[in-house]
Amino acid sequence: NSTLNWTSGGGFPSSYDLYFGTSSNPSFVQNMNETTFAPTLAPNTTYYWKVVPRNAFGEATGNQVWSFSTPSATQIAEGFESTTFPPAGWANPGTWSRSTTTPIFHGSATAYKYGSSSTAYLLSLPMLTINSGDYLRFASRASTLTGTLDIVYSEDRSSWTLLQTITHGVASAWQSNAVDLSSIAGNYYLGIRTGLQSASFYIDNVFGPEITPLVPGAPTLSAPADLAVNNSEYATFTWNAPSTGGVPTGYNIYLDTVDGRTQFATNVTSPYVLDTALAYNTTYYWTVEAYNAAGTGEPAPVRSFTTRQDPTIYVSSESPWVEDFGTVSGDWPVANWSQMSGLYPNPTGTSTQWFRDEWLNGATGNNAAKINIYGTSRNGWLVTPPIAIPATGYELKFDLGLTDYASTNAIEFPDGQLDDKFIVLIADNPMMTGATPLRTWDNDASAFVYNEIPNTGTTVILD
């Protein structure tokens, strides 16, 4: 959706009559004091609007009717607002990037590239169905008066032909461009390419013809790496959109232990994270195919990976489990342990805020898993491997120490800071989904607040 904006035009108006609709003689909508209006818009529609200022002496005359058109669902219309870059169906051999810093033309992002006097950098649109009378419209900005952009076209995204060069009459200022495509009616890839100048180039609000309804090409698989070993049983699959063919609207993933021909999930996006564990020490084969309204493309070449050995810790009265976090730097991270960020109860992703260091910052010859807490972003989950816990007669013991980072003095949770916590939890999955707290240390009615932990630490027993 777009927002209509206007200024008073002088004469001290007290209000405005807004006319808006799909007729060239738009209907009255409302009288209002504001100078903005956000209508609800439909795709592939032309709208007309005008604003009539008024005050106690009457209404203004000579008010012009303006119009604008919304793109269809399949028309090229890109503002680079999605964090995925390049957008689906685009190709980026020139290593352009998405920028969210000033200057911004519209919304919160633009496409950006710093040019070179020796290399031209290309950003390619999807294949478009171009008819006589079609235009490519976009906003651009160059940091120098000499900065130019070439509009090029290609049938195969390999060999490019120059159509028009865009110049910039003012340095470091946005300008609107309209490139007539009538001379190349047909199905082509269009490209926006930097000229041979050392300058900053920005583009935004790219509008053009309909995207050609092609079956997508094959995606490019990225993770797990082919022939990867010791892979997590909760595998994360990632891939890149096809560089040829139509724009995908979804993907199917295939996964099995034979040849990668068994469909595992449909209508997925990258990254795709398993929420059910695969078997340990097993080789899996996988691939991904893209589809859209025109059909389903060819799958990517099949890859394989092997999951890790069973990391489960099996304990008994004869073989209790002990982890003292090693004695040298190579002992960290501990095998099969993992870390996550995020405040309880919502872990949000991987983190490396825990580390191995000397116990309570002292040269004691002992080592511990440690995390330094300062500021609001310091948090972390340290997760053990799976443990086969016997039904009765076992407990978790560990030493807990809290110290001032700059000294060996013991500290306490500051009074009134209820978000300061140390929690021991249990869950049946490594992402700690639905974890149950076993014991909490905090200032929120906990029975286990330690206001004076000696700088030698204390032993905690969880029955």
Side-chain angles (χ1 to χ4, degrees), residues 112-121 141-148 171-172 194-201:
Y112 166 78
K113 183 63 186 180
Y114 188 79
S116 164
S117 59
S118 59
T119 305
Y121 299 100
R141 176 182 175 124
S143 61
T144 67
L145 285 174
T146 58
T148 62
S172 299
T194 62
L196 298 179
Q197 303 94 29
S198 296
S200 293
F201 294 94

Side-chain angles (χ1 to χ4, degrees), residues 358-375:
E358 292 179 313
W359 171 253
L360 298 180
N361 301 321
T364 61
N366 191 15
N367 293 285
K370 298 178 65 174
I371 183 170
N372 294 325
I373 303 298
Y374 45 83

Side-chain angles (χ1 to χ4, degrees), residues 132-426:
S132 179
D134 284 344
Y135 281 81
L136 176 68
R137 304 178 189 274
F138 65 99
S140 66
R141 176 182 175 124
S143 61
T144 67
L145 285 174
T146 58
T148 62
L149 290 170
D150 291 337
I151 307 304
V152 295
Y153 64 98
S154 172
E155 293 181 330
D156 56 9
R157 264 186 175 161
S158 177
S159 177
W160 296 90
T161 302
L162 177 64
L163 177 64
Q164 183 175 323
T165 296
I166 303 294
T167 59
H168 294 86
V170 179
S172 299
W174 286 99
Q175 69 179 39
S176 296
N177 307 292
V179 179
D180 188 354
L181 305 176
S182 298
S183 62
I184 56 168
N187 294 336
Y188 290 101
Y189 295 103
L190 296 181
I192 301 174
R193 188 175 65 191
T194 62
L196 298 179
Q197 303 94 29
S198 296
S200 293
F201 294 94
Y202 299 84
I203 61 171
D204 201 1
N205 276 29
V206 182
F207 290 88
E210 295 287 315
I211 298 173
T212 305
L214 298 175
V215 173
T220 302
L221 307 183
S222 52
D226 196 20
L227 304 178
V229 296
N230 199 34
N231 202 80
S232 170
E233 66 276 16
Y234 290 89
T236 297
F237 300 94
T238 62
W239 59 90
N240 296 319
S243 60
T244 58
V247 178
T249 56
Y251 297 89
N252 301 321
I253 187 168
Y254 290 76
L255 176 68
D256 58 40
T257 59
V258 181
D259 54 13
R261 295 185 180 182
T262 304
Q263 189 176 98
F264 183 81
T266 187
N267 193 27
V268 298
T269 57
S270 176
Y272 177 73
V273 183
L274 296 182
D275 56 11
T276 301
L278 301 174
Y280 293 123
N281 194 28
T282 302
T283 298
Y284 287 88
Y285 300 84
W286 72 288
T287 188
V288 176
E289 64 186 11
Y291 63 83
N292 60 17
T296 301
E298 291 295 318
V302 173
R303 284 186 172 187
S304 70
F305 64 92
T306 302
T307 52
R308 62 179 175 170
Q309 299 282 341
D310 184 357
T312 303
I313 297 168
Y314 297 92
V315 296
S316 68
S317 57
E318 291 78 23
S319 59
W321 168 57
V322 177
E323 177 56 63
D324 65 1
F325 300 103
T327 58
V328 297
S329 60
D331 295 329
W332 188 273
V334 179
N336 297 317
W337 288 59
S338 61
Q339 297 194 52
M340 293 184 293
S341 62
L343 297 175
Y344 172 77
N346 298 311
T348 57
T350 59
S351 172
T352 57
Q353 294 183 1
W354 284 86
F355 61 101
R356 187 198 65 81
D357 198 11
E358 292 179 313
W359 171 253
L360 298 180
N361 301 321
T364 61
N366 191 15
N367 293 285
K370 298 178 65 174
I371 183 170
N372 294 325
I373 303 298
Y374 45 83
T376 59
S377 63
R378 299 297 298 184
N379 55 76
W381 301 58
L382 186 61
V383 184
T384 71
I387 305 172
I389 302 175
T392 59
Y394 289 87
E395 60 189 1
L396 173 65
K397 297 181 179 181
F398 64 95
D399 289 332
L400 172 65
L402 300 173
T403 71
D404 187 323
Y405 182 75
S407 71
T408 58
N409 297 324
I411 63 171
E412 62 187 63
F413 291 117
D415 292 339
Q417 295 190 18
L418 302 184
D419 59 342
D420 290 339
K421 295 180 174 70
F422 185 87
I423 312 174
V424 177
L425 308 103
I426 189 170

